[in-house]
Amino acid sequence: MGRRERPVLVYDGDCGFCTSSVRFMERHVPTSAEAVAFQFADLDALGTTAERAGHEVLWIDRAGRVSGGAEAVGRLLTDAGGPWRPLGVIIRVAPVSWAARGVYRLIADNRQRMPGGTAACMLPAAQRPGAAARD
């Protein structure tokens, strides 16, 4: 894996809540990252797996390092700079990072109940409608 021009944010494109969150980020958070649904990404080239990408949002930095969950959100906000940068740094520093991980996991584990969430969010990626067509 060589250096990439831009970081990559990998999210679950089958999840309405995840997709809505990324669309919000694209409109309001000036990150340099390219956002891509894991269902359409070359996960091997990004250094991750569908299992991990279906479990948490991922941030792949320019050097190819993969961060997930609350850490990924913190890195995205840090990358955005401006007023987002301090929030991104704080999210990644203990003891706030401990709470951020817990909140992230609570939301991720219940995303089907969140605005935009669907029953498909509860299913493993391989069992979701349309999964066979993407393979």
Side-chain angles (χ1 to χ4, degrees), residues 27-79:
R27 286 190 311 272
H28 301 289
V29 181
T31 179
S32 66
E34 170 189 4
V36 61
F38 84 83
Q39 292 86 350
F40 302 105
D42 183 347
L43 298 175
D44 287 337
L46 293 172
T48 193
T49 64
E51 181 179 29
R52 183 169 184 195
H55 179 70
E56 61 188 352
V57 66
L58 301 173
W59 176 266
I60 296 96
D61 69 13
R62 288 177 178 91
R65 291 181 297 255
V66 180
S67 302
E71 174 79 14
V73 173
R75 292 193 180 280
L76 172 123
L77 294 173
T78 302
D79 176 74

Side-chain angles (χ1 to χ4, degrees), residues 17-30 84:
F17 176 73
C18 300
T19 301
S20 295
S21 298
V22 168
R23 296 301 165 250
F24 175 87
M25 180 266 316
E26 289 174 333
R27 286 190 311 272
H28 301 289
V29 181
W84 298 102

Side-chain angles (χ1 to χ4, degrees), residues 119-135:
C121 297
M122 294 188 307
L123 297 172
Q127 296 175 11
R128 293 183 189 159
R134 290 190 292 263
D135 291 338

